[in-house]
Amino acid sequence: MSNRTFTMIKPDATSKGYTGAILDQIIKAGYSVKAMKWIKLSEEQAGLFYDIHRERPFFGELVQFMSSGPIVAAILEKDNAVADFRTLIGATNPAQAAEGTIRKNFAASIGENAVHGSDSDENAAIEGDFFFSKLERF
Ligand code: CMP
């Protein structure tokens, strides 16, 4: 069990002005921020980040959406970080997300679902390394 996870606040949420409210919910859930940046991905960069989904039918839509506006990328720390964060954000499809979860509160659809959360300790490390150098994390 690792104590770190990786998240992105996605372009739908940043463009609707939800960034502060989402960060507030994350901090109130006990996470501390170990790295953070406000950044706009190119289509190529978004494709590399989501390379594991390259063969999925929604890949093109996903890449276009994730490069359509700024995101907030962050490394977060807390005990049991990965699993607890998945609970905090709720199901990938906001229609199936539990009450009070970030996706229930802020997401519109399965494609535009407000936040990303790593699905394993291994991917949390890979995804954090994608965005942050050693100098940018604490
Ligand atoms: P995320 O947790 O960032 O990881 C992969 C993303 O692919 C997922 O959130 C969704 O935003 C997106 N995704 C998954 N399934 C679909 C789908 N059926 N249609 C569009 N986007 C999807």
Side-chain angles (χ1 to χ4, degrees):
M1 177 181 100
S2 159
N3 60 355
R4 289 193 174 197
T5 191
F6 171 81
T7 189
M8 293 183 288
I9 301 176
K10 299 188 179 184
D12 57 319
T14 62
S15 70
K16 289 174 184 161
Y18 294 155
T19 303
I22 290 173
L23 287 174
D24 189 54
Q25 191 167 348
I26 291 170
I27 301 301
K28 285 190 172 129
Y31 286 90
S32 58
V33 175
K34 295 296 163 183
M36 180 172 282
K37 62 176 66 165
W38 174 264
I39 190 171
K40 185 171 181 293
L41 295 171
S42 66
E43 283 191 29
E44 185 184 2
Q45 289 165 333
L48 285 172
F49 182 85
Y50 281 114
D51 197 52
I52 194 168
H53 296 305
R54 196 165 287 275
E55 302 308 321
R56 302 282 197 95
F58 58 81
F59 180 74
E61 188 185 321
L62 176 61
V63 163
Q64 198 164 31
F65 165 62
M66 288 303 296
S67 58
S68 67
I71 61 159
V72 174
I75 295 173
L76 303 170
E77 188 170 272
K78 187 182 99 54
D79 287 349
N80 200 32
V82 167
D84 286 358
F85 197 73
R86 304 274 290 179
T87 302
L88 178 67
I89 65 178
T92 303
N93 185 347
Q96 290 158 10
E99 282 302 322
T101 59
I102 290 175
R103 283 173 171 153
K104 186 70 174 183
N105 291 344
F106 300 105
S109 66
I110 191 167
E112 303 198 2
N113 64 355
V115 283
H116 167 80
S118 304
D119 63 4
S120 66
D121 292 346
E122 185 190 4
N123 283 336
I126 292 168
E127 292 169 1
D129 288 347
F130 184 92
F131 280 92
F132 298 104
S133 73
K134 286 198 174 99
L135 290 174
E136 295 172 312
R137 60 179 77 190
F138 305 97

